[in-house]
Amino acid sequence: MTVSSSAPSGTSPVRGVNILVPSSWYEFDIHPATRDASIREVVRERVQERPELADSRTALIRTLTRTADEAWQTGVLYFGALADLSDEAPLTASVTIAVLEADDRADDTADGEQAGGRAGGNLAALVAALKPVPAGRRPTDPWRRIKLVELPDAGSAARSEGIDDIELPDDDRTVRMVLMQTFVPFPGGDPRVAVISGATSQLALAEPMLELFDGITETFRFVYADDDPSAGSAEKVS
């Protein structure tokens, strides 16, 4: 995914961001104008690779379309999804990337995204704005832990992870999710923050899914204007 950015004099500007998901995940364009065709194509390719998924083709398209639409409505730039519908208990998860400006004030976002907007690229302020939630009596009750992490190719970041009740876009309802959000300040004094979010409804698998999201997030990197274009794809940021 690529993000366009102006940078201070003497530094190479950020032109995008990049993240890697497992080969079993789906990646596609989530823009409403091209989303449906993109989803149909990636599902077609996956069914060719795994003919046993043929009976799940319609369900896969429906699931990916719904989650992609929800992601687009929240300003997401990159979307990757796991959708294993071959068993009686479907396993779904997503990883998204959004970029927040320093003065963002989205009232309908999760607490973490509001914190990212308030704090801009100040890592200490990001951590201070995130609020831990103690564990409840039941394993599926909401809880949240906050910590600093070090990403191999992107440096220090703030992280919120746990189980949260998330408001659905354009809906009064909430859904309880396992959620990890990692807030990565842009380099070079740029006040923006990249927010990498991993989410799944598999509450019983909270810790294993958080480990999976952590492994994916560790591959995140900024792509600079003077990077070799042949080194890999990037999502643009503007």
Side-chain angles (χ1 to χ4, degrees), residues 110-112 127-147 159-166 176-177 179 181 207 210:
D111 287 350
V127 174
L130 298 170
K131 305 300 181 184
V133 175
R137 292 187 302 172
R138 297 174 300 179
T140 57
D141 284 343
W143 59 272
R144 189 186 305 145
R145 59 191 175 216
I146 309 301
K147 57 185 176 182
R159 173 170 293 169
S160 166
E161 62 183 16
I163 295 177
D164 265 309
D165 289 331
I166 308 300
R176 187 159 292 181
M177 305 282 286
L179 180 65
Q181 289 187 301
E207 292 297 344
L210 289 173

Side-chain angles (χ1 to χ4, degrees), residues 22 25 34 38 40 42 56 69 71 74 122 134 167 196 210 226 228:
W25 285 49
T34 52
S38 182
R40 286 195 298 269
V42 297
S56 301
D69 183 59
T74 57
N122 187 316
E167 293 183 6
I196 308 154
L210 289 173
D226 57 2
D228 182 356

Side-chain angles (χ1 to χ4, degrees), residues 85-98:
L85 306 180
S86 58
D87 298 324
E88 292 184 1
L91 175 61
T92 59
S94 64
V95 168
T96 63
I97 303 176

Side-chain angles (χ1 to χ4, degrees), residues 186-197:
F186 269 57
D190 189 318
R192 290 180 296 175
V193 179
V195 184
I196 308 154
S197 300

